[in-house]
Amino acid sequence: MHTRDLSDHATYEAGRGIEEVARKLGRDPGEFVTLSSNENPHGPSPAAVEAIRETAGEVNDYPKAAHADLREAIGDRRGVDPRQVWLANGGDGAIDYLSRAFLEPGDDVLVPDPGFAYYGMSSRFHHGDVREYALSKGEGFAQDAETVLGTYDGERIVYLTSPHNPSGSTIPLPEVETIAERTGEETLIVVDEAYGEFADRESALALIEGREDVAVLRTFSKAYGLAGLRLGYALVPAAWADAYARVNTPFAASEVACRAGLAALDDTEHVARSVESAAAARAAFEERVEAPVWESEGNFVLIEVGDATAVTETLQKRGVIVRDCSSFGLPECIRITCGTDEETDRAIEELNAVLAERSAEAER
Ligand SMILES: *Cc1c(COP(=O)(O)O)cnc(C)c1O
């Protein structure tokens, strides 16, 4: 008995969690702050927590009305028909739905390097292949049409990430439009706005009305603080919105997730606070970290530290868990999530101490 050939399939490397690190080091999880997975440091919206509690006694039923209600509420808020809201089990699930709807075996997707690993994974699951366009570290991971079109070769899906993970750079809307214009009629441009709430930028949703070849990805995992629930969606053009019924895994977005999502959408205060706090943390990192910090519009910053693996390990021993970006192909960089004020302060102090220690050692 064999699985199919999975040798091309990379496994997803998540940021380290507290329990995992604490167990490995034989320490109390309470001693650590986790700033490795771009989770919301303010927790979920209290309204969502309440909705989760209330829904607990009803999970014997399949999610039906809640799913429809959430599509409707998102459609309402975004000014699109609910049919254009492809609700899924996380943003990752929405990526899978786009793969299912578009990829024929052997089709290619074009993804950023460095970039979010799941684009390529999803393509491979669906018997597609992956090509990469390079975002240059030397140019601040700048994103524009030229960078993408210079590599584009008729791929079926082109992924843009704005704000980009792990750098935090964004792509201006006119550049997205140029890419959509100059790529083939059967090429879909997916603008992944998982961190869209944190950026002071117009959503690529503005392009969907006039075009059939742009989709936008959004998630409840980041600004809404619901990563553990798994809830995300794609916003797609009306022209092919009905394909959802043919690619949607039945009940993939759970009753609990949908009810929490509905409550979180109404809790604008929680999102506003999360966005403000991330902006303050970014400013603190940029001002106070004694190493190059890339300007970011997400809830995280990328920092050049030299040996990322060594710095990550030392920071971990000091109780601060960050993301080693070696797996992104950036072995000299770490990514730190914006924490609460206290968490961010602690991360900055510990990082500066580690950097100072390392430079003193290097001089010896
Ligand atoms: C976190 C993230 C997502 C979606 O995550 P889900 O938890 O599956 O919703 C999508 N794209 C990028 C770039 C991300 O960082």
Side-chain angles (χ1 to χ4, degrees):
M1 184 77 203
H2 297 280
T3 64
R4 69 178 164 112
D5 181 5
L6 297 171
S7 53
D8 265 358
H9 294 233
T11 53
Y12 185 81
E13 280 189 52
R16 299 273 177 267
I18 287 195
E19 281 80 11
E20 182 189 358
V21 171
R23 219 169 278 160
K24 201 175 111 198
L25 299 175
R27 305 230 313 246
D28 178 357
E31 294 171 40
F32 293 87
V33 296
T34 324
L35 300 173
S36 55
S37 296
N38 299 343
E39 292 146 340
N40 191 324
H42 303 290
S45 138
V49 173
E50 184 61 33
I52 291 167
R53 286 218 175 87
E54 279 173 11
T55 311
E58 295 162 26
V59 293
N60 54 311
D61 288 334
Y62 282 112
K64 288 166 200 152
H67 186 267
D69 290 351
L70 183 54
R71 287 180 85 193
E72 178 107 27
I74 294 168
D76 221 38
R77 230 151 281 240
R78 301 274 172 202
V80 297
D81 189 290
R83 290 177 307 118
Q84 293 173 261
V85 181
W86 286 22
L87 207 56
N89 187 261
D92 294 348
I95 291 170
D96 280 338
Y97 289 174
L98 293 170
S99 298
R100 288 184 198 179
F102 283 88
L103 299 182
E104 299 280 0
D107 277 351
D108 287 334
V109 302
L110 187 62
V111 306
D113 171 34
F116 187 58
Y118 198 70
Y119 309 140
M121 292 170 66
S122 179
S123 175
R124 291 199 165 103
F125 295 154
H126 296 87
H127 305 274
D129 220 327
V130 187
R131 293 189 62 244
E132 296 178 327
Y133 59 92
L135 296 181
S136 155
K137 186 176 147 202
E139 287 164 33
F141 303 94
Q143 302 192 64
D144 51 37
E146 204 185 300
T147 312
V148 176
L149 294 170
T151 312
Y152 171 74
D153 188 23
E155 285 79 9
R156 181 68 158 138
I157 301 179
V158 174
Y159 282 97
L160 309 173
T161 319
S162 186
H164 173 250
N165 180 3
S167 74
S169 75
T170 53
I171 181 164
L173 228 45
E175 300 290 320
V176 177
E177 198 165 16
T178 303
I179 294 168
E181 285 291 332
R182 301 227 196 116
T183 46
E185 233 170 75
E186 295 301 325
T187 293
L188 173 68
I189 313 302
V190 178
V191 187
D192 179 347
E193 297 179 345
Y195 303 98
E197 290 84 359
F198 299 105
D200 196 10
R201 292 265 181 190
E202 190 184 4
S203 167
L205 177 60
L207 299 176
I208 285 184
E209 210 162 297
R211 315 193 58 94
E212 295 187 0
D213 56 355
V214 175
V216 173
L217 199 77
R218 288 270 173 160
T219 178
F220 284 88
S221 294
K222 310 284 161 60
Y224 288 94
L226 298 177
L229 269 189
R230 316 303 305 126
L231 189 64
Y233 57 93
L235 297 168
V236 311
W240 43 271
D242 288 340
Y244 184 57
R246 296 174 190 274
V247 298
N248 181 20
T249 302
F251 313 115
S254 76
E255 179 77 16
V256 179
C258 291
R259 290 280 168 224
L262 277 163
L265 272 187
D266 279 337
D267 191 351
T268 48
E269 200 181 304
H270 178 263
V271 178
R273 182 159 69 103
S274 305
V275 168
E276 263 168 46
S277 141
R282 280 180 333 224
F285 282 120
E286 279 170 32
E287 270 166 38
R288 290 165 48 203
V289 168
E290 278 153 28
V293 178
W294 276 272
E295 204 174 298
S296 166
E297 297 201 44
N299 65 341
F300 55 86
V301 289
L302 185 72
I303 305 175
E304 175 136 22
V305 295
D307 183 341
T309 304
V311 169
T312 300
E313 275 173 19
T314 312
L315 273 176
Q316 214 166 78
K317 289 192 191 118
R318 290 169 164 262
V320 179
I321 307 171
V322 303
R323 178 71 188 251
D324 172 359
C325 288
S326 298
S327 68
F328 282 100
L330 299 168
E332 60 297 300
C333 296
I334 60 171
R335 190 194 66 199
I336 307 188
T337 303
C338 297
T340 60
D341 290 351
E342 301 77 50
E343 289 171 339
T344 299
D345 275 349
R346 177 152 168 221
I348 293 171
E349 276 160 29
E350 296 293 352
L351 174 58
N352 282 341
V354 171
L355 292 172
E357 225 170 58
R358 290 177 60 81
S359 79
E361 258 166 43
E363 274 166 30
R364 238 180 268 137

